[in-house]
Amino acid sequence: YESYERDERIRLLYLSLQDLKEREKKVLIMYYFQNRNLRKIGEQFSITESRACQLRKAALKSLYRSIQRKIAS
């Protein structure tokens, strides 16, 4: 049962990531899966570290909303 719940959470996260804009998706992948800091992400996108932080925060909000919609449906 726990394995099923874990698999379902991973599936939900994966599907919700697909709903994000390409830039938002890249920022989250770079930050959480490639362990890049905001300065490096900023350099990659030719933006400031502060702007990279704003993008990450906006991407997380979008991801949260997408997950909530999927749970509700």
Side-chain angles (χ1 to χ4, degrees), residues 1 3 11 14 16-17 20-21 23-24 31-35 37-38 40 42 46-47 53 58 67:
Y1 184 72
S3 177
R11 186 183 74 78
Y14 176 79
S16 296
L17 277 169
L20 297 180
K21 297 174 186 171
R23 192 174 196 186
E24 290 177 330
Y31 190 82
Y32 290 103
F33 298 103
Q34 297 175 351
N35 296 314
N37 61 37
L38 293 170
K40 291 285 187 188
S46 300
I47 57 176
C53 183
I67 290 170

Side-chain angles (χ1 to χ4, degrees), residues 28-52:
L28 291 182
I29 288 169
M30 291 170 72
Y31 190 82
Y32 290 103
F33 298 103
Q34 297 175 351
N35 296 314
R36 296 213 184 131
N37 61 37
L38 293 170
R39 185 178 55 80
K40 291 285 187 188
I41 294 171
E43 289 172 3
Q44 179 79 27
F45 289 105
S46 300
I47 57 176
T48 65
E49 183 176 346
S50 176
R51 181 67 184 132

Side-chain angles (χ1 to χ4, degrees), residues 1-13:
Y1 184 72
E2 288 178 21
S3 177
Y4 172 77
E5 283 185 358
R6 181 181 178 279
D7 290 347
E8 186 62 21
R9 278 186 252 141
I10 290 171
R11 186 183 74 78
L12 183 61
L13 178 59

